[in-house]
Structures are given as structure tokens and as C-alpha cells.
Amino acid sequence: MSNADLQARKVKAIARGQGNAYPVYVERAKNAEIWDVEGKRYIDFGTGIAVCNTGHSHPKVVEAVKAQLDNFSHTCVMVNPYESAVELAEKLTNIAPGDSDKKAIFVTTGAEAVENCVKIARAYTGRRGVIAFNGGFHGRTNLTMALTGKISPYKHQFGPFAGDIYHAPFPIAMHDISVKDSLKAIENLFKVDIAPCDVAAIIVEPVQGEGGFYAAPAEFLQALRQLCDQHGIVLIMDEIQTGFGRTGKMFSCMHAEVEPDLITMAKGIAGGFPLAAVVGKSEIMDAPLPGGLGGTYGGSPVGCVAALAVLDVMAEENLVQRAVQIGATFNEQLTALQQQYPQLIGEVRNQGAMIAMELIVDGDPHQPNSALTQAIIAQAAEHGLVLLACGFYGNVIRFLPALTISDEVMLEGLQKFTQLFTQLAEA
């Protein structure tokens, strides 16, 4: 069976809204490499959108999942729970930022984690409003689409959305939006749209994911913490893409030494198995009544043992520090490319192994080069690469390599990317 045959079948059987970036069908994957059904090898710089931080099919994760399947696959944690869920909750509350007493809940997807944060914040405060940020991405359900600060493709055609959601600009120095500008906009919301005493929560990604891999300055996150404390607002950190060592800390907000009230966890949590969680301060987490939170598959026993294995691997292989090393290597190589093409590459930035290259036209940061970005993504597979784009204008190449990637494979992939970029830049 060829990739083309499978793509033709896919187009007939799966709705176009669930598109695929590449007509490349995976047969097997190991660590940072993928092989398709035609036997072609690819270096994976996307890891299923920051999911396989411990690489594809890590032996410890595979072993844990196989052992669990021999015992049972599902009983529902809300009916007959199991030790792995309790142990995982204990470990997640222990590694979460800050010293406050914490509790956890389990769900299945990142969007569910975000929705449950809003539910918990509203139950705790008795308030209705939520403030999010331009360019932020929080999911594809109705409420999380409302929180997401980007229309296309996530919100187009899908309204009306949940009410009492407000947006403020996210600080991005490259685009002349300062921390002061963002904070002033929030204060303006308090004057014009919603009183702070009616705001249940502020939700923020410490590094915007789909928005373009812009890291929130530490002073901004610290100011949000102070603002929330001042007005009794719940501070939610959406760490779905930034968590589990990706940024060189277990969670990105640790760089700013900020403790959120609630934190979302998903993607890298379980090495590719569907699992998500909310962890937060016990007093806040306990606000909803019994039965108010949950889901049939939330805290799947298979996902829980996979997540426990992921945490073991991260500790044993020192993957948090490895993320720092990977980020430094990418930054060095991509910065060298930027020096060759300053009119096309506006900025190279990274927080750990969350790495981005923003493409522009004629050296102008206000002219996004979406065409070149899409050409790179379109031709990546021909060069044996899996790459992802992001950004408000689709002009950012994002790199999310497995934290277990070898130096040899990483450098090979960077060489392939340099060749691809050079070919298109000089075309």
C-alpha cells in the first residue's frame, strides 16, 4: 500500500475538517525517527505536536502499557479506581510549581483540562468572566474556541461561542507589544467590559504554542500573579504544550518563579497515550461538588501507567537538562542560518527545546512571510523531515524534537533543514 493510495482512501472516508499536514502514512516510529508505509525514513521535529517528549515507543513506556493490558484496560476511575491513578496524582501534585498543598483530576484531552479549569475557577469564585490573550490556543471545543485568540482555522464557521470571555494583547517585543501594553489592556477591560470582581480566571500560555512560540516575559507572568492576588482571580497556566520538560524546566512558569492556582497538563504527559490533568491548589480544586468533574475515560489505567513511566524516564535520562542542550544546539544552527538570510529570518527564539524561526519579507518584522513558511512545510517530507508551522500569520516554523533525540540524528535533521531552507530561499 502506498502513501498515495492511503491518502485517497482517507479523503473519501474522513471529513476534510480533520486534515493532515503530510500525505505520509506511518508504519513504525522509534525515538526521533519515523518510517512510512513505503519504507522512507523521516526525522521527526514535531513529535506529534509536543506529545512524544520521551520519543516514539520508549521501551519503558511500552513495557508499562503491555503489563497493564494484561491486567485490565478500563474500569473508570470514578467507579472502580486503581493505584496507578492515585500514584500519578501524588507525583503530579509533587512536581507542580509552588509549595501550596495541591490536588489533581484526570481527563482525556487538553481541551477538557482547560474546560475543567474554567469550571473549577467559576465554582471557587462564584464569578463568570474569563480573560485570555490574543494569539493564544486552548482547544477546539466550544468554550476553548472562545478562549482561543485566533480565528482561522479554529473558530471560523463555528460560532456562536461561550460568553463572558475577554481577550487582551499578549506581550511580543518583536511586534512592538510591551508588557505595559498588555497590562494596560487588562486594566481597560476592567473599566470597559467586566469588573474585576466578576472575573473568575485569567488563563495564559507561558509560551504561546499555535500563536508563534512567543515566551511571556517573567515580569509579565509575575504581574499577572500580583493582579490575580489583588482581585481574587484564579490564575490558570495552560502548560499543555510547554509541560514535561519541554522548555528546560518541568513546567515553563517555573522560569518566572510563578505558582499558578491551576495548571493544565496534557501532550507530553503520557508518551503518546491519551491523558490530561488539572493540578491546582487544594482549596480551589475542591470547590466543585462530587460528581461535578470527571469523564468516562479520564485517568485511563493505560494512560496512567504510561505517564508514570514517562516521569521515570525523564528523571533517569535527565531530560529536563537535555531540553536545554537541544535548544542551544538548534539556536546556534538556526542563528547561523539567520545571519546568512537576515532579510528572510526575522527571529530565532527558544525556551529549552521549544524552538521557533519566524520568517519575514525584506527584513520587515511586520511583513510575515507565510508563503515561504508553507513552501518549507510542503517540501519537508521530500527532504526526510517532519516539520510544523504556527503563528498568527502562519509564518513561524516550530521545532519540537524528542528530548531523547541523539546528537547524531539532531544534527542530521538540522543539516537537512538547512539544505531545504537554502534551496527555497535562493529559488
Side-chain angles (χ1 to χ4, degrees):
M1 183 63 67
S2 70
N3 287 315
D5 290 337
L6 284 167
Q7 182 66 11
R9 289 169 58 189
K10 185 261 184 185
V11 168
K12 287 184 179 181
I14 297 177
R16 66 174 184 169
Q18 194 168 40
N20 50 306
Y22 295 101
V24 171
Y25 285 75
V26 178
E27 184 171 75
R28 63 187 176 93
K30 191 71 174 175
N31 198 2
E33 299 167 275
I34 288 173
W35 288 265
D36 70 13
V37 293
E38 297 174 3
K40 185 176 179 181
R41 169 182 172 265
Y42 305 84
I43 295 174
D44 185 5
F45 281 165
T47 55
I49 317 181
V51 167
C52 298
N53 289 2
T54 49
H56 294 287
S57 301
H58 193 287
K60 287 213 164 192
V61 176
V62 171
E63 180 184 5
V65 167
K66 285 182 175 178
Q68 179 59 46
L69 288 173
D70 285 337
N71 294 325
F72 62 95
S73 62
H74 176 78
T75 62
C76 186
V77 76
M78 298 184 301
V79 179
N80 295 111
Y82 24 88
E83 184 181 0
S84 59
V86 177
E87 183 182 356
L88 181 59
E90 290 170 340
K91 290 193 173 184
L92 294 181
T93 55
N94 186 53
I95 65 172
D99 298 326
S100 301
D101 186 56
K102 295 180 178 65
K103 290 188 176 183
I105 63 163
F106 294 114
V107 288
T108 310
T109 68
E112 281 184 273
V114 171
E115 291 229 3
N116 277 277
C117 277
V118 173
K119 288 167 61 177
I120 293 165
R122 285 174 168 167
Y124 177 71
T125 62
R127 303 174 182 179
R128 57 187 174 83
V130 182
I131 296 174
F133 293 92
N134 300 350
F137 178 80
H138 301 288
R140 298 173 188 265
T141 60
N142 188 266
L143 176 58
T144 56
M145 280 191 296
L147 293 168
T148 291
K150 183 181 178 184
I151 294 292
S152 182
Y154 308 113
K155 301 168 79 164
H156 182 55
Q157 297 181 318
F158 297 136
F161 302 111
D164 294 314
I165 307 296
Y166 305 87
H167 287 89
F170 188 85
I172 304 171
M174 181 181 179
H175 297 294
D176 303 323
I177 305 170
S178 68
V179 169
K180 184 178 179 180
D181 292 333
S182 295
L183 295 174
K184 186 176 180 181
I186 295 173
E187 292 293 344
N188 191 61
L189 285 176
F190 290 161
K191 294 176 183 177
V192 174
D193 288 318
I194 185 167
C197 63
D198 285 328
V199 177
I202 294 177
I203 183 168
V204 63
E205 297 167 281
V207 182
Q208 288 199 327
E210 298 293 320
F213 279 31
Y214 301 106
E219 63 177 300
F220 180 63
L221 297 182
Q222 292 161 3
L224 290 182
R225 177 70 277 173
Q226 185 177 4
L227 189 70
C228 288
D229 289 341
Q230 178 185 349
H231 295 293
I233 298 169
V234 173
L235 179 59
I236 303 169
M237 290 285 177
D238 185 340
E239 293 256 13
I240 289 166
Q241 193 162 166
T242 54
F244 292 90
R246 172 58 56 185
T247 68
K249 296 281 187 183
M250 185 58 77
F251 298 98
S252 177
C253 63
M254 291 174 166
H255 289 282
E257 299 183 347
V258 169
E259 179 181 2
D261 297 309
L262 301 173
I263 183 170
T264 61
M265 303 178 184
K267 288 193 182 290
I269 191 173
F273 289 86
L275 183 71
V278 176
V279 174
K281 295 176 180 177
S282 295
E283 179 186 9
I284 300 174
M285 292 291 293
D286 278 342
L289 298 173
L293 306 174
T296 302
Y297 293 108
S300 153
V302 178
C304 285
V305 298
L308 289 169
V310 163
L311 290 174
D312 287 343
V313 169
M314 292 189 70
E316 292 166 6
E317 300 185 19
N318 198 16
L319 295 187
V320 174
Q321 181 57 35
R322 177 60 176 163
V324 176
Q325 298 166 352
I326 290 169
T329 299
F330 267 81
N331 193 291
E332 179 183 358
Q333 297 278 326
L334 297 178
T335 298
L337 195 59
Q338 181 188 24
Q339 291 169 352
Q340 287 182 257
Y341 300 96
Q343 298 299 105
L344 294 175
I345 303 173
E347 188 172 70
V348 172
R349 52 183 176 266
N350 75 291
Q351 191 176 90
M354 197 167 180
I355 308 139
M357 170 187 280
E358 184 157 350
L359 304 184
I360 58 174
V361 176
D362 295 332
D364 183 357
H366 301 296
Q367 291 191 60
N369 199 334
S370 306
L372 177 57
T373 307
Q374 295 312 309
I376 290 170
I377 296 298
Q379 296 188 34
E382 297 173 21
H383 288 73
L385 292 173
V386 175
L387 298 172
L388 301 171
C390 63
F392 210 73
Y393 301 100
N395 67 313
V396 178
I397 302 289
R398 55 175 159 169
F399 301 88
L400 292 161
L403 305 185
T404 50
I405 192 171
S406 68
D407 285 346
E408 180 183 11
V409 172
M410 175 170 53
L411 292 172
E412 180 190 354
L414 281 165
Q415 183 181 25
K416 288 176 180 289
F417 177 78
T418 298
Q419 291 170 347
L420 168 60
F421 186 91
T422 301
Q423 174 184 310
L424 290 171
E426 297 182 357

